[in-house]
Amino acid sequence: MRLGMVIDLYKCIGCRTCAVVCKQVNSQPPGTWWNRVFTPGSQHHQVAPRQTGRLKMSFLPVSCQMCDNPACERVCPVGATYTDEQGVVLVDLERCIGCRYCMSACPYGVRQFNWEDPKQAKEKAGYAKGYTYGYPFPQRDKKGRLVYTPNRPKGITEKCTFCVQYTSKGELPMCVQACPAGARHFGDLDDPNSTVGRLIRERETIRLLEELGTSPKVYYLSPNKPE
Amino acid sequence: MVKGGFKLTRRRFLQGAAAGGLMAGTGIFYRGKQGTAWSQEELRPKEVKFVRSVCSPNCTSACGIKAMVVDGQIKTLTPTNDYPEPEYGPRGCLRGLSFLNLMYGPDRLEKPMIRVGERGKGEFREVTWEEALDYTAEKLKEVAAKYGPDSIGFSFQVGGTGHVQKGAWIALSTMAGWTLLHPYDLNGDLPMFFPQTFGVQTEELEPIEWLNSRYTAVFGSNVMVTRLIDADLLNQSRVKGAKLVVFDPVYSATAAKADEWIRLKPSGDAALALCMARVIIEEELYDRDFIITYTDLPLLIRLDNGKRLKAEDVTGLSKPDIPDYREAYVAYNGEFLTVHPEQLDLPLNVKLFGQWEAPLKDGTTVPVKTAFQLLQEQLKEITPDYVEEETGVSWDTAVRLAREMAAAKPLHVIYGASNYQWYHGDLKGRALSLLPVLTGNIGKPGAGISTYAGQYRVRMDVKDWWFPATPKWTPWLYFLHGPTKEMVAPYPKNGLKGFVFGWHNPFDQHNMANRLREMAGNGELEFIVAMDFQRTTSCDWADVVFPAAGWYEKTELVTTPLHPYMQLQQPAVAPLGERKSELWMAREIAKRLDPGFEAHFFPGNDEQTAAEKAVDLILRTGGPPTAGITLERLKKGPVRMWSEGPNNRQVPFYEQFAHKKPFPPLSRPAALPATAQFVKSGRIEFYKDEDPFLRLGEELPVHKPPFAESEYRLLPEAKGKYTFAYITRNSLYRVHSTHSNNIWMNELEDGKAKVFLNPDDAAAKGIKEGDLVEVYNARGLVKGYAVLDPGMSRQMIVFEQGWWARYLKDTSYNSLTYPFIKPTHEVYFVPGMWAPNTAWNECLVDVRKAGEAV
């Protein structure tokens, strides 16, 4: 089984709901975004790029690309970043030493570093005393590695887990559940009958920076209207 | 794995979670491998519950939201997908799903406050509820005694977002004799062409019907941003073969998703629509039978006075027995016929074109023409040069699009609020209505014209809860502008001296915010009461501030005009601290004003029980729309209300079309006679013969360029001095001003308010990307950071509305606007249905780099 995601850029309206719900349920502190949505070619989101000829604009959500050949995993000196048996690239939060090699190695810029204690960061932002948001229970993998917990400590690196706290219970990642445009699909890439398997087979797809050999498991469908 | 005597019980957690369904993980014990402080949390048992509530900020989407509550705190807000039509799920957007930032954020009000410093300075002392309520009731009594109770104005936001809590204050206002200010025209969301043309407040096709359209023409609506939850249905309609064309001066996210984007000059819509109507008429692409049966275009117009010919004046004809709010007019099919206003049954051989001499009972004759004839003659003025000059669209393109629209059925026109919030917004809407009406695209699935702005609609009878006494209303614009000579709306004898507001931010976010501040500053307003769940920028102008319970802390009944689902806001957590629901506040004030008032508010019940009883009352007395709907059903999830269209779909005017019922359908809470007088013929009216229309040359839809009758009349030197149209559109990151202080929304736009302008205009002004700029006119000034956007047309500025002044270096974007009142909006007065409407975008400005000399 190889879990992957297909994002349909024809359907994507650039609303950033995925980015926000990701931030919320994953308890990301101020300034941290595991998932972002861009307007390619433009400095400002939902502003057309300045180019000659007809105006064109599309939107591109980017989070961890869940590479089959993840550069972040290769450079991790302590084995904190690993790929689980379903192909999901995860960080053992208790093993991470915060060296940030992975952040330099990742060509997608999706890894985030906790520069300060997230609880303090939230308090500084003015949330009610003692309040923190996000899925409140920790998640460990089969070997007991801590792969999700709210308020990860200062000094470690974190990123999208395909919402391991939800997927381990049979739910879809929250960005997929929440996408109002139905642009996100999630499932087993190896299963030809899965939606993701079918879309990759039937539709033209691209993967980001494929030439680097990272072999992402996040696929994108063209922003053009399907024929 | 054993550490410190604890066994790692991951398996037990997983089993527990599976047994409990979803994530109901109670009684979990964990131990971090490293035993770090941050993993100790895992040890604590936690109680979990899920509550379905509704997001209701007047964006119209009315999304069900699932709150996960752990130990009395909401931890996550996630979308719902429990609507019977899967197309409507999932619901919940970036704003609604980050509401926790407001609910638990730094701007929550905690305690009642009474002002100690100057108004506007925000200096208060915290007081007990008892003191706040006694003080408020005393001051309100004082104002009422001095100036009359109608000198106290109550201003609120649209009723659909919450019938129970707002209804409590509306009820109190009616009992106390205060004046109500209707939010729909205050917001500028009332599209005046709707009452003028169709006799209704507004009607909308529900989004799932977009899938049935074959052609969607969007005029200045940014559906992909402002209706983002349902926007995917437009994408899907294209996959099904429909065409999506966006007419807009700005290349928006919606334009980017269209088959075709037509760059249209600001406020050029009427010229373009009339050009298309000309093509449709000249090429006989119209639906003749539809026009004869459902519109006023076959009716005869007297050429001597411009009025419709009445049957009672014509020899041999008489006025049938009809209600006072109707009139019987005349058509011609070889002989003169009485047109019965309650029967849509004109013979199909009625002439659409022609001129005749009508014999009158006084022995004279009068020359008459059909309205259609007059329209056709008038459209001859819409020449190719005129169209290109006024719209920027080539004649060939306009002709091609007119033919496409006439050929595609069903055709749906979406006419956005940013586009009708202009002085001549009504004319544009009347002109655009010609497209679906001439082609017979009314009352059918996937067809029509919709505006989609505001959660204004009252979908059921609410009299028993809202109006225990007769309400008094006056339009907001008179409050700012002062009464006019022609006004027919009542206005309090002594003006407004007391001001009670909730659910909005009027001192910062409404038309001419500076005028309101002035009235507070100079004491013209003698007493000001604010209620809100957050300390908005308007609270600083109040004399007393009530801290309200927010969503997820109270019970509320929600509907929207967009889709026909009735839903319940349910408390997920108890109101924190001293916050109270608005119903509770209304009850406390009521009993202090008059002990007899309290009985209306379910005394003796706690605030949640009282709210549930109010819901129950509305459901029991709501009339046919609430038949069979109970509180218990609503607690479980969304309940579809009855709609008139096929398959219980919300298809406007379906009953008029299918069952030939006269126009208009009922617009609640008004009684039918109140709105039926707007279209006395009982038909779709394009010819308006009330005097102000005739005087202004607007008896038929015409194009009038912007600013001539507004800005240039108000300030002649503005012409040439202020040459940029100033358009305030909705932002992706806010719902009006709600979420202005949402930390994540601000992170997503770098915490900067932006001023969008065309790169060539910027170059001409010496403005570079990211510069802090000032947009200004003779009335005011606002600051923001320049974004050079190639999708912007020339000579226009776009500012995204909703920023609180504190994010704008204490400037306000509403200091630039003006409360223009158009005489055609004053012909009748029915609150929120025919009333002077705020024209936010009728505003000229200039722009400069901040700090440059004037």
Side-chain angles (χ1 to χ4, degrees):
Chain A
M1 179 186 259
R2 283 165 61 245
L3 291 175
M5 196 175 279
V6 175
I7 303 177
D8 186 338
L9 299 184
Y10 170 74
K11 289 185 173 175
C12 177
I13 59 172
C15 71
R16 292 181 158 174
T17 299
C18 54
V20 168
V21 78
C22 168
K23 178 153 177 143
Q24 188 229 122
V25 301
N26 285 302
S27 190
Q28 293 156 36
T32 294
W33 294 87
W34 289 1
N35 182 6
R36 294 165 197 258
V37 185
F38 303 97
T39 300
S42 179
Q43 183 181 342
H44 300 282
H45 186 49
Q46 293 195 335
V47 169
R50 292 169 76 173
Q51 59 192 26
T52 49
R54 200 167 70 87
L55 290 171
K56 273 191 94 163
M57 170 161 76
S58 60
F59 312 115
L60 182 72
V62 180
S63 53
C64 176
Q65 299 294 296
M66 296 291 178
C67 306
D68 266 349
N69 183 20
C72 56
E73 184 175 337
R74 287 172 164 252
V75 299
C76 180
V78 294
T81 294
Y82 69 101
T83 304
D84 78 1
E85 67 286 359
Q86 296 181 317
V88 182
V89 180
L90 295 167
V91 180
D92 180 344
L93 298 169
E94 290 168 320
R95 192 168 285 246
C96 175
I97 56 168
C99 70
R100 291 183 280 138
Y101 284 5
C102 54
M103 291 177 72
S104 318
C106 171
Y108 305 105
V110 293
R111 287 183 161 249
Q112 306 275 292
F113 187 70
N114 271 340
W115 289 99
E116 67 179 314
D117 176 68
K119 280 191 172 170
Q120 279 173 15
K122 288 171 184 173
E123 207 173 297
K124 254 187 355 203
Y127 287 98
K129 203 168 166 45
Y131 176 72
T132 65
Y133 51 83
Y135 185 83
F137 304 117
Q139 183 67 43
R140 290 178 184 274
D141 75 358
K142 285 182 180 160
K143 293 186 176 153
R145 288 177 285 210
L146 185 70
V147 289
Y148 170 81
T149 189
N151 300 311
R152 283 75 57 186
K154 178 177 172 176
I156 66 151
T157 304
E158 56 182 61
K159 65 165 193 73
C160 160
T161 67
F162 272 167
C163 276
V164 63
Q165 72 273 38
Y166 292 107
T167 48
S168 59
K169 296 165 191 71
E171 281 198 70
L172 292 167
M174 198 48 78
C175 60
V176 179
Q177 289 193 45
C179 177
R184 289 174 172 268
H185 306 278
F186 178 76
D188 182 4
L189 299 172
D190 288 342
D191 175 0
N193 298 320
S194 69
T195 305
V196 287
R198 185 178 54 75
L199 285 170
I200 290 167
R201 198 170 59 246
E202 292 175 1
R203 300 274 299 275
E204 199 179 324
T205 61
I206 56 157
R207 291 185 291 173
L208 300 181
L209 303 176
E210 213 162 355
E211 64 278 13
L212 298 179
T214 48
S215 194
K217 287 190 287 293
V218 176
Y219 291 77
Y220 294 89
L221 304 180
S222 157
N224 297 325
K225 189 171 88 171
E227 294 306 320
Chain B
M1 199 177 299
V2 176
K3 184 161 180 171
F6 269 93
K7 202 173 179 189
L8 197 66
T9 55
R10 174 185 51 80
R11 182 169 296 160
R12 208 167 96 202
F13 169 52
L14 289 177
Q15 284 167 346
L22 293 177
M23 297 151 284
T26 50
I28 305 153
F29 292 88
Y30 257 119
R31 183 78 178 193
K33 274 194 279 190
Q34 299 170 333
T36 47
W38 52 276
S39 59
Q40 291 299 311
E41 261 183 57
E42 303 173 22
L43 296 169
R44 203 158 61 87
K46 289 170 175 166
E47 192 184 313
V48 182
K49 71 170 177 176
F50 291 93
V51 176
R52 187 198 194 276
S53 195
V54 192
C55 190
S56 191
N58 187 21
C59 70
T60 77
S61 296
C63 299
I65 305 279
K66 192 167 74 173
M68 179 196 209
V69 184
V70 179
D71 293 346
Q73 286 182 341
I74 301 181
K75 290 297 184 185
T76 67
L77 294 176
T78 52
T80 57
N81 208 341
D82 55 2
Y83 297 80
E85 298 91 353
E87 291 87 346
Y88 279 138
R91 295 193 91 77
C93 75
L94 71 164
R95 299 161 297 224
L97 297 177
S98 59
F99 186 78
L100 294 171
N101 292 337
L102 306 186
M103 183 164 169
Y104 293 102
D107 291 314
R108 264 322 281 276
L109 285 163
E110 292 179 14
K111 291 185 165 137
M113 303 191 298
I114 290 178
R115 180 172 62 85
V116 291
E118 235 176 279
R119 277 184 176 158
K121 295 275 187 240
E123 290 158 18
F124 294 92
R125 66 187 171 91
E126 290 183 343
V127 297
T128 62
W129 268 112
E130 207 60 22
E131 184 179 349
L133 293 163
D134 288 345
Y135 172 71
T136 303
E138 271 324 298
K139 295 298 274 186
L140 289 171
K141 279 186 199 168
E142 257 177 57
V143 174
K146 218 159 130 189
Y147 303 105
D150 63 350
S151 71
I152 296 168
F154 173 56
S155 184
F156 54 107
Q157 261 307 338
V158 282
T161 57
H163 298 78
V164 169
Q165 306 288 345
K166 286 189 187 95
W169 276 87
I170 294 170
L172 174 60
S173 302
T174 69
M175 288 191 287
W178 301 344
T179 297
L180 296 165
L181 295 151
H182 202 289
Y184 195 33
D185 48 84
L186 173 154
N187 293 344
D189 285 348
L190 167 61
M192 277 300 294
F193 80 94
F194 254 122
Q196 291 170 349
T197 311
F198 298 95
V200 294
Q201 183 181 34
T202 303
E203 292 290 333
E204 308 180 0
L205 197 61
E206 67 170 296
I208 200 169
E209 282 292 325
W210 298 348
L211 294 175
N212 289 327
S213 306
R214 293 295 295 172
Y215 202 104
T216 306
V218 178
F219 288 83
S221 178
N222 198 1
V223 178
M224 296 291 161
V225 168
T226 59
R227 301 292 169 273
L228 71 89
I229 286 296
D230 294 311
D232 58 317
L233 295 167
L234 279 186
N235 288 337
Q236 285 182 43
S237 77
R238 287 181 64 210
V239 176
K240 287 182 68 181
K243 184 163 183 179
L244 174 63
V245 182
V246 171
F247 301 81
D248 205 305
V250 179
Y251 182 76
S252 62
T254 307
K257 287 289 172 188
D259 291 286
E260 209 172 334
W261 167 55
I262 307 295
R263 192 196 282 267
L264 182 61
K265 281 191 184 173
S267 215
D269 311 68
L272 187 66
L274 293 171
C275 163
M276 293 181 180
R278 178 181 163 171
V279 173
I280 289 169
I281 294 172
E282 282 182 359
E283 299 187 5
E284 296 186 25
L285 304 174
Y286 53 83
D287 183 335
R288 187 173 189 282
D289 292 359
F290 185 91
I291 292 171
I292 290 173
T293 308
Y294 300 102
T295 79
D296 70 339
L297 293 172
L299 305 190
L300 301 180
I301 311 298
R302 297 170 61 135
L303 300 186
D304 62 338
N305 62 8
K307 299 270 181 182
R308 288 200 191 93
L309 182 64
K310 292 180 181 174
E312 64 185 7
D313 293 336
V314 177
T315 308
L317 302 184
S318 59
K319 188 174 180 174
D321 186 21
I322 50 174
D324 289 344
Y325 52 85
R326 295 293 190 193
E327 187 58 72
Y329 300 107
V330 183
Y332 185 81
N333 68 343
E335 46 193 307
F336 294 95
L337 304 171
T338 298
V339 182
H340 195 292
E342 307 236 286
Q343 293 164 9
L344 298 173
D345 63 351
L346 268 187
L348 294 176
N349 63 357
V350 152
K351 304 284 187 200
L352 276 179
F353 297 100
Q355 176 172 346
W356 304 276
E357 285 290 322
L360 300 183
K361 284 178 181 163
D362 64 8
T364 62
T365 65
V366 64
V368 293
K369 287 181 181 177
T370 63
F372 206 40
Q373 173 77 37
L374 291 170
L375 177 66
Q376 190 208 26
E377 289 169 11
Q378 189 166 300
L379 290 178
K380 290 207 168 70
E381 291 164 21
I382 310 292
T383 59
D385 285 349
Y386 181 78
V387 168
E388 288 178 22
E389 175 58 30
E390 292 298 309
T391 69
V393 180
S394 78
W395 176 259
D396 289 347
T397 301
V399 170
R400 171 176 62 81
L401 293 167
R403 290 176 185 154
E404 279 180 17
M405 286 187 207
K409 286 184 172 51
L411 164 70
H412 183 217
V413 174
I414 299 178
Y415 175 38
S418 175
N419 204 3
Y420 63 73
Q421 292 170 344
W422 291 72
Y423 191 75
H424 294 306
D426 53 351
L427 284 175
K428 292 196 277 182
R430 289 170 66 199
L432 286 169
S433 297
L434 283 167
L435 304 176
V437 174
L438 292 179
T439 54
N441 279 298
I442 295 289
K444 300 169 185 174
I449 180 165
S450 306
T451 43
Y452 304 120
Q455 220 160 315
Y456 55 89
R457 179 170 302 175
V458 175
R459 298 191 73 121
M460 57 273 180
D461 297 336
V462 291
K463 183 177 176 298
D464 287 49
W465 177 237
W466 284 22
F467 304 128
T470 307
K472 295 175 190 164
W473 298 87
T474 202
W476 174 261
L477 286 192
Y478 294 125
F479 180 30
L480 296 179
H481 179 285
T484 65
K485 276 187 211 145
E486 298 197 33
M487 72 183 287
V488 293
Y491 194 73
K493 185 165 66 49
N494 294 309
L496 289 179
K497 297 293 183 185
F499 186 57
V500 181
F501 70 92
W503 296 274
H504 65 149
N505 192 340
F507 288 86
D508 198 4
Q509 301 297 329
H510 284 299
N511 190 321
M512 281 202 85
N514 48 344
R515 169 81 187 109
L516 206 57
R517 290 176 185 196
E518 198 181 291
M519 289 158 89
N522 67 17
E524 213 175 312
L525 288 173
E526 294 192 5
F527 187 59
I528 304 171
V529 184
M531 62 187 120
D532 207 302
F533 74 100
Q534 296 194 92
R535 185 163 175 177
T536 67
T537 32
S538 278
C539 291
D540 287 351
W541 291 90
D543 300 317
V544 59
V545 180
F546 294 162
W551 310 330
Y552 307 106
E553 293 174 330
K554 62 189 174 192
T555 297
E556 183 55 286
L557 184 66
V558 176
T559 64
T560 171
L562 184 71
H563 60 68
Y565 282 98
M566 180 177 262
Q567 299 171 92
L568 203 59
Q569 276 184 359
Q570 310 196 69
V573 293
L576 296 173
E578 297 185 28
R579 292 145 191 156
K580 291 287 185 185
S581 66
E582 292 88 350
L583 189 160
W584 180 89
M585 297 173 199
R587 186 167 69 186
E588 291 296 320
I589 293 292
K591 73 180 179 200
R592 284 169 172 79
L593 293 181
D594 181 336
F597 291 170
E598 196 191 359
H600 183 70
F601 303 95
F602 305 106
N605 292 284
D606 66 69
E607 55 183 331
Q608 300 300 355
T609 311
E612 290 197 359
K613 284 178 184 286
V615 173
D616 192 55
L617 174 68
I618 293 171
L619 295 177
R620 276 188 289 109
T621 58
T626 55
I629 304 180
T630 60
L631 182 63
E632 290 315 306
R633 277 182 74 195
L634 287 169
K635 282 183 176 178
K636 292 189 191 116
V639 179
R640 196 172 240 273
M641 303 174 77
W642 176 83
S643 287
E644 60 189 28
N647 305 316
N648 200 21
R649 290 285 180 83
Q650 181 175 303
V651 176
F653 310 118
Y654 177 78
E655 292 201 321
Q656 280 60 41
F657 170 71
H659 306 302
K660 298 201 174 168
K661 285 177 70 170
F663 284 82
L666 187 64
S667 293
R668 290 185 173 83
L672 186 66
T675 49
Q677 65 176 335
F678 304 158
V679 286
K680 294 189 176 62
S681 67
R683 296 166 163 263
I684 300 169
E685 291 191 356
F686 286 106
Y687 193 92
K688 305 304 289 181
D689 70 354
E690 292 91 342
D691 291 334
F693 288 97
L694 295 174
R695 197 177 70 229
L696 294 167
E698 298 184 8
E699 59 274 19
L700 284 164
V702 289
H703 169 70
K704 289 187 171 181
F707 311 122
E709 292 178 25
S710 52
E711 288 281 32
Y712 301 154
R713 190 167 290 172
L714 183 72
L715 186 73
E717 60 268 34
K719 195 168 190 174
K721 186 171 181 187
Y722 302 112
T723 57
F724 284 82
Y726 173 64
I727 301 196
T728 41
R729 73 175 172 207
N730 284 91
S731 164
L732 175 62
Y733 306 103
R734 292 179 291 284
V735 179
H736 308 297
S737 65
T738 305
H739 299 288
S740 187
N741 56 339
N742 182 328
I743 176 173
W744 301 345
M745 298 301 105
N746 288 342
E747 284 183 15
L748 286 174
E749 46 182 348
D750 309 322
K752 285 180 175 174
K754 298 181 177 68
V755 170
F756 297 81
L757 72 173
N758 181 284
D760 293 335
D761 285 336
K765 292 279 177 187
I767 292 168
K768 294 192 196 63
E769 182 73 47
D771 279 352
L772 181 65
V773 298
E774 296 172 347
V775 180
Y776 65 99
N777 61 16
R779 295 182 289 267
L781 177 148
V782 69
K783 293 184 184 183
Y785 294 88
V787 171
L788 276 48
D789 179 351
M792 292 279 298
S793 288
R794 297 296 303 271
Q795 295 305 125
M796 66 183 291
I797 300 278
V798 163
F799 187 86
E800 293 187 321
Q801 60 121 311
W803 283 110
W804 289 4
R806 78 180 193 208
Y807 298 100
L808 303 175
K809 304 184 189 306
D810 281 325
T811 60
S812 169
Y813 65 100
N814 282 315
S815 62
L816 288 87
T817 54
Y818 188 80
F820 293 112
I821 293 177
K822 188 170 178 182
T824 52
H825 295 195
E826 298 182 295
V827 173
Y828 304 98
F829 174 64
V830 177
M833 297 191 191
W834 191 307
N837 198 38
T838 301
W840 307 94
N841 292 331
E842 192 78 8
C843 184
L844 281 169
V845 297
D846 201 0
V847 60
R848 65 185 172 221
K849 268 180 85 161
E852 281 182 3
V854 178

